[in-house]
Amino acid sequence: MHSSSYITQEAFRALYDEYKNRLYGYVLTITHSSHAAEEVTQELFIKIWTNREMLENVKDMERYIFTMARNRTLNYMRKASNDARILKELQRGMVSRENNVAERMLIQDYERLVKEALDRLSPRRNQVYRLSFYQGMKLEEIAAQMNLSRNTVKNHLVAARKFIRSYLIERGIIFLMILSYFF
């Protein structure tokens, strides 16, 4: 096995039979993963076979094979760790994008239902709500613009908000918004 220019298939088979279980156990001890141990052991023997011409220079076969196994195992673990980190980043991004899509859909539903609710209000109550909510006007400003008392504006606003809230609750939108906020 040491002095021929190429290792024969029979010699390789003998090498494989002698070391496969020990290498597998060695890699398994390091990685704690039967899948990783199998993969690294298989890659190791493929590497030995493809570079079999170099084996003639090897003085201590066991040390050579276990050094290769250690290096391949560490490389495998580094790659697996990096892959896991990348996968987590991708998953975070996917969850974030999924949440953004879900949030946008929820907001669109909310806006559509608020518009429906506003359309069911009396024209005056609708106008009071729009001036307050969409234009940010204070009660006194709305009262002056609409020629109403501050109390009447406040009553219209309270009634509009109550109606809109119950309209949204009847359609399940408030419950969905609360769920999406907490989950």
Side-chain angles (χ1 to χ4, degrees):
M1 190 161 35
H2 297 302
S3 59
S4 65
S5 61
Y6 285 102
I7 187 173
T8 64
Q9 283 185 349
E10 293 79 26
F12 177 78
R13 182 68 188 180
L15 185 74
Y16 177 80
D17 289 340
E18 183 178 347
Y19 287 102
K20 73 172 180 178
N21 291 335
R22 289 171 54 202
L23 286 171
Y24 176 87
Y26 175 72
V27 176
L28 182 62
T29 301
I30 296 170
T31 63
H32 305 289
S33 163
S34 58
H35 173 75
E38 196 166 311
E39 196 169 317
V40 169
T41 303
Q42 186 176 21
E43 285 178 9
L44 180 67
F45 281 108
I46 291 170
K47 180 83 169 175
I48 290 170
W49 177 254
T50 57
N51 296 317
R52 62 190 177 276
E53 69 277 358
M54 298 177 71
L55 292 178
E56 67 183 52
N57 301 323
V58 175
K59 305 244 187 294
D60 184 349
M61 187 60 68
E62 186 166 315
R63 184 174 179 187
Y64 175 76
I65 287 177
F66 278 92
T67 300
M68 281 182 65
R70 184 194 70 219
N71 293 340
R72 285 214 167 267
T73 302
L74 293 176
N75 287 341
Y76 180 91
M77 291 176 69
R78 257 187 239 110
K79 183 182 181 313
S81 172
N82 192 36
D83 290 350
R85 183 183 52 78
I86 290 169
L87 182 61
K88 281 182 183 176
E89 287 176 17
L90 288 172
Q91 287 172 335
R92 260 196 309 271
M94 287 171 61
V95 167
S96 168
R97 282 191 292 279
E98 287 172 7
N99 286 348
N100 288 343
V101 170
E103 286 173 17
R104 277 196 305 266
M105 289 176 63
L106 204 56
I107 289 169
Q108 287 173 348
D109 282 349
Y110 172 79
E111 289 172 346
R112 180 183 52 79
L113 288 171
V114 167
K115 184 183 178 322
E116 285 177 16
L118 286 173
D119 291 344
R120 293 175 186 252
L121 293 173
S122 69
R124 182 166 286 190
R125 199 163 277 175
N126 185 322
Q127 186 180 7
V128 166
Y129 183 85
R130 286 179 187 276
L131 290 173
S132 171
F133 187 76
Y134 293 114
Q135 295 184 16
M137 293 175 71
K138 295 184 182 351
L139 294 178
E140 294 79 16
E141 296 170 322
I142 297 170
Q145 181 174 329
M146 293 183 68
N147 231 4
L148 299 170
S149 74
R150 182 185 182 282
N151 251 3
T152 302
V153 170
K154 183 177 179 182
N155 290 339
H156 278 306
L157 199 53
V158 168
R161 286 181 180 154
K162 185 177 179 182
F163 176 78
I164 292 169
R165 190 177 311 111
S166 66
Y167 190 85
L168 294 174
I169 289 170
E170 285 172 13
R171 281 138 191 89
I173 196 75
I174 297 293
F175 179 71
L176 286 175
M177 291 187 78
I178 290 169
L179 275 180
S180 72
Y181 179 76
F182 288 107
F183 300 101

